[in-house]
Amino acid sequence: MRLVIWLVLLFAAAVVAALTLGSNDGLASFYWSGWRVDISLNLFLLLLVAGCFALVTAIQAVEALTTLPRRAREWRLAQRERSAQLALREALVELFGARYSRAQKAAQKALSIQSATPELAADPAFMALAHLLAAESAHRLQDRRHRDDQLARALDPAQRAGGARAQEDGARLLAAQWALDDRDAPRALAVLGELAPGVARRTQALRLRLQASRLARQPLDALRTARLLAKHQAFSKVAAQGLLRSLAFEALDGARDVDQLRTVWQQLDPADRRDPLVAARAAHCAGQLGAPDDGRGWLRPFFDDGAALQPDDRAALANALVPVLAGCGPDWLQRLEAAQQRFPRERALAYALGHALAERQLWGKARLMLEAVADDTTMPGAARRRSWLALAALAEQEGDDARRARCFESAARVP
């Protein structure tokens, strides 16, 4: 079909040429020093077209000849650039394939090609990326000296070039990750502190800061970072809640005195202070540090509105209340009795009420409550043991040495 079309076009051109050039009535005359040359107009036009074509061809040939060195240099530069790009891609492939020695050699090859060509050495993004690949390979090979050297070289062109900010941010994030792999938390935090504010709020930067804070034993900073990650939906809801609780527990457990515990409690986020399990752990720590009033104060809002809590949360709060009942007032008896009447089947509330009655020296009611708790095998061993010891103290108050001895034996048999 294409041949037919070309034949039709050729025939059409022949017809047009025959019709146009068929009449040869015109003449073109040229005069030079007494000489005269007459040629047909058609021939003159053909010669004019052929002369223009020859002139243009000659000009292009001269230009091609004069620009041959420049084009040869550009061709060599393109070949070097292609070789450097191939070496860089090879380094990436080898790195992803866990062939770190080969990746390092390929990255060094790309760097040597780039450095040997002044025109290519002016590309800071390529240089920074090649140095980062070499540094990552050295890190995988545990060659820290070479890794740090390559990292410094990667940061140098990135800092000198205005458009290589992304390479610098990537280099610092990688440096923070390497520091965490080396278990060097101060260095990781220092590197993360050098990031721009926008980069520091990225999810990966926050993840690294969370790991570094936990490694550096800074639970409050880790808790704030984890809350930012939770807002960015970096974790599932359940995982975020568990992580925030564990960090709050770690911060509370790290307090060495009452003042430090109060400071940690105040520094917690309001959402953490509204968590029943966090408040229970804070009260437990307050009881260990000899600050029962603070522990009861932190638990009071939950007992005032206990209906909104889950049974496990109420049990944790009741178990945490018992160690801080020393010096409690009659208002706590009212709270615990109201809670026990509302949830009569929850043995943990009876456990807390029994110890509160014992603290207020209401021996008869306390004995009934504590005996029911001590005989309940579903209760935690620590609660049952504490109840037996409280019953032993009641027996001592009443002068019943035999019952006191039986209570001590029962407490010793509790697993």
Side-chain angles (χ1 to χ4, degrees):
M1 185 65 184
R2 185 179 299 176
L3 180 60
V4 174
I5 294 175
W6 278 109
L7 288 174
V8 171
L9 291 176
L10 182 60
F11 292 155
V15 171
V16 171
L19 293 176
T20 303
L21 304 176
S23 59
N24 197 10
D25 298 334
L27 290 175
S29 299
F30 297 91
Y31 298 91
W32 181 263
S33 300
W35 294 88
R36 172 183 172 182
V37 177
D38 295 328
I39 59 176
S40 65
L41 181 59
N42 293 341
L43 179 60
F44 171 73
L45 294 176
L46 291 175
L47 292 174
L48 180 61
V49 171
C52 292
F53 179 76
L55 180 61
V56 171
T57 302
I59 293 174
Q60 290 180 349
V62 172
E63 183 182 3
L65 185 61
T66 56
T67 59
L68 183 60
R70 178 178 59 82
R71 289 188 291 111
R73 185 170 59 255
E74 291 177 352
W75 180 83
R76 288 194 298 269
L77 181 61
Q79 289 296 107
R80 284 180 170 272
E81 184 176 7
R82 183 172 179 272
S83 299
Q85 294 290 343
L86 287 175
L88 187 66
R89 288 199 294 269
E90 181 184 357
L92 280 171
V93 171
E94 299 295 351
L95 180 64
F96 293 151
R99 296 173 177 173
Y100 304 120
S101 297
R102 296 184 182 182
Q104 190 173 12
K105 291 178 181 178
Q108 291 294 345
K109 179 181 177 181
L111 286 170
S112 62
I113 295 174
Q114 198 84 353
S115 301
T117 309
E119 293 85 353
L120 299 180
D123 186 0
F126 183 94
M127 299 291 289
L129 182 58
H131 282 300
L132 285 179
L133 287 176
E136 177 66 20
S137 302
H139 173 71
R140 298 295 181 180
L141 296 172
Q142 297 185 359
D143 186 358
R144 294 182 176 84
R145 184 188 61 80
H146 187 65
R147 179 199 67 188
D148 296 338
D149 180 62
Q150 292 295 326
L151 177 62
R153 294 185 181 184
L155 287 173
D156 183 58
Q159 291 175 346
R160 286 189 286 106
R165 185 68 186 180
Q167 286 79 10
E168 181 181 356
D169 296 336
R172 296 194 186 280
L173 289 174
L174 279 177
Q177 180 63 60
W178 298 337
L180 289 175
D181 292 342
D182 296 340
R183 312 295 293 177
D184 190 351
R187 181 186 175 193
L189 291 173
V191 172
L192 291 172
E194 297 174 357
L195 293 174
V199 183
R201 288 192 295 269
R202 294 175 186 172
T203 301
Q204 177 62 15
L206 292 175
R207 288 181 184 273
L208 295 175
R209 184 174 293 279
L210 173 61
Q211 297 177 24
S213 298
R214 299 191 73 176
L215 185 61
R217 304 290 183 180
Q218 298 176 1
L220 289 176
D221 292 339
L223 184 59
R224 286 190 286 268
T225 305
R227 189 163 295 282
L228 287 176
L229 282 170
K231 291 180 180 179
H232 291 175
Q233 297 181 352
F235 310 111
S236 65
K237 186 176 181 181
V238 176
Q241 185 179 24
L243 177 62
L244 292 174
R245 279 178 177 172
S246 64
L247 290 173
F249 291 170
E250 186 178 348
L252 292 169
D253 293 341
R256 296 293 179 263
D257 52 41
V258 177
D259 293 335
Q260 189 175 2
L261 180 63
R262 291 168 182 165
T263 302
V264 171
W265 176 258
Q266 292 299 325
Q267 289 179 348
L268 291 179
D269 192 87
D272 296 323
R273 294 199 295 268
R274 290 193 298 268
D275 191 332
L277 298 183
V278 175
R281 179 61 69 92
H284 178 74
C285 295
Q288 290 181 335
L289 296 175
D293 294 338
D294 293 279
R296 290 196 305 273
W298 297 334
L299 295 178
R300 183 180 296 113
F302 299 97
F303 282 95
D304 291 339
D305 189 18
L309 301 175
Q310 297 295 326
D312 293 341
D313 295 338
R314 284 193 293 270
L317 292 169
N319 290 326
L321 177 63
V322 172
V324 295
L325 281 174
C328 67
D331 57 326
W332 275 102
L333 288 179
Q334 298 175 3
R335 291 189 184 91
L336 291 173
E337 287 176 351
Q340 206 276 331
Q341 291 175 3
R342 183 177 297 181
F343 306 102
R345 295 186 178 182
E346 295 186 10
R347 191 65 71 181
L349 293 176
Y351 165 64
L353 179 58
H355 281 277
L357 291 170
E359 178 66 26
R360 297 297 301 172
Q361 299 183 357
L362 300 174
W363 312 119
K365 293 182 179 180
R367 179 179 176 181
L368 294 176
M369 291 283 183
L370 293 176
E371 286 179 348
V373 173
D375 292 332
D376 190 352
T377 57
T378 61
M379 288 292 293
R384 294 179 60 198
R385 191 179 303 108
R386 193 183 190 100
S387 298
W388 281 119
L389 294 177
L391 288 171
L394 291 179
E396 185 179 3
Q397 291 286 340
E398 296 174 355
D400 191 345
D401 294 336
R403 184 160 57 87
R404 175 173 173 269
R406 289 196 301 271
C407 291
F408 278 122
E409 292 176 0
S410 299
R413 287 195 300 267
V414 173

